[in-house]
Amino acid sequence: MSTQHRPASRKEIRQENEKLILQAAEKTFAEAGFGGATMQLIADVAGLPKANLHYYFPTKESLYRRVVQDIFHVWLQAADIFDAADGPIEGLGAYIDAKMEISRKHPAGSKVWASEVMHRAPVIQDYLETTLRDWTEGRIAVIERWIDQGLMDPVNPRHLLYMLWATTQHYADFNHQIETLNNGRPLSDAQWAEATDTVKRIILTGIGARPAT
């Protein structure tokens, strides 16, 4: 059997280049913001010619929108458990687990989203008014069902979601502050596990979450 690697296909090359560009763009937009980032700077970070960026993403705005949409879709996937969970302990517990892990693995993407929203979403306002709004209403309906079933206290679902987002995304958006207070070191695996468990216990206890029977 030959041990030689087959040449990469055009599709594989395209996928790898796009991955490099998106990783570089996420990092650059997080550090410089939309206004401060340039296609040339992103190309330099990616280690690719600037022409490659324009081949995959014709404009800086199209690249920026893709970065923002990608982190949001990761968050959406983390909430899929809502629809299948028997109750808030399973649903919200798994959601918190997933959101904390995303903050650990995708801090730059979360920072790009936060910066965009803090500047009144000049690029993705349409996204907030459609995709985010629809998603939020769907999750509110699930939480209201759990309340009606007596599986949790009658809290305002919208504010519960805001609290979940603020708490879990804090570990991404303010990771420098957290590392500074952790003697200048990133959180270890054990510290991440402890943080996730703490967030989960406080929120589930606070809403009076009860096991589904």
Side-chain angles (χ1 to χ4, degrees):
M1 182 180 294
S2 174
T3 59
Q4 292 182 340
H5 295 293
R6 63 176 177 80
S9 68
R10 182 174 297 179
K11 179 180 179 181
E12 290 171 333
I13 293 173
R14 179 185 179 88
Q15 290 174 337
E16 182 61 27
N17 283 344
E18 188 172 285
K19 180 180 177 181
L20 286 173
I21 292 169
L22 288 170
Q23 288 176 339
E26 186 178 82
K27 180 177 185 296
T28 305
F29 285 132
E31 294 177 353
F34 179 77
T38 65
M39 294 293 267
Q40 183 62 62
L41 180 57
I42 295 170
D44 292 342
V45 174
L48 295 170
K50 182 181 176 183
N52 280 35
L53 266 68
H54 287 290
Y55 175 76
Y56 294 104
F57 301 96
T59 65
K60 184 174 73 168
E61 180 172 320
S62 66
L63 177 54
Y64 180 80
R65 285 182 66 91
R66 174 65 182 275
V67 169
V68 173
Q69 289 170 359
D70 280 357
I71 187 62
F72 184 62
H73 287 151
V74 170
W75 287 335
L76 287 182
Q77 291 172 358
D80 285 347
I81 188 63
F82 267 76
D83 297 325
D86 292 330
I89 293 178
E90 299 83 3
L92 294 179
Y95 182 54
I96 293 169
D97 285 338
K99 286 288 269 87
M100 289 292 286
E101 187 63 14
I102 293 167
S103 286
R104 184 181 189 182
K105 293 183 176 180
H106 301 278
S110 182
K111 290 173 184 175
V112 174
W113 179 277
S115 177
E116 169 71 9
V117 174
M118 284 191 293
H119 288 87
R120 303 183 64 82
V123 179
I124 63 158
Q125 180 63 29
D126 61 321
Y127 205 68
L128 300 184
E129 293 175 352
T130 54
T131 307
L132 179 60
R133 178 175 292 166
D134 292 343
W135 179 91
T136 301
E137 294 303 323
R139 304 290 75 72
I140 286 174
V142 173
I143 295 171
E144 287 177 338
R145 185 178 75 238
W146 291 336
I147 293 172
D148 292 341
Q149 293 172 340
L151 298 177
M152 57 180 283
D153 295 341
V155 301
N156 185 303
R158 193 175 302 274
H159 294 302
L160 174 58
L161 288 173
Y162 296 163
M163 181 180 294
L164 288 168
W165 300 340
T167 304
T168 56
Q169 288 160 227
H170 173 90
Y171 287 86
D173 301 340
F174 290 88
N175 66 336
H176 176 73
Q177 176 174 280
I178 289 173
E179 290 177 8
T180 299
L181 296 176
N182 194 44
N183 297 318
R185 297 191 300 269
L187 297 183
S188 65
D189 291 346
Q191 288 174 314
W192 270 103
E194 181 182 28
T196 301
D197 182 66
T198 300
V199 170
K200 191 158 50 175
R201 284 192 294 112
I202 290 173
I203 290 178
L204 293 179
T205 301
I207 64 173
R210 294 174 280 278
T213 57

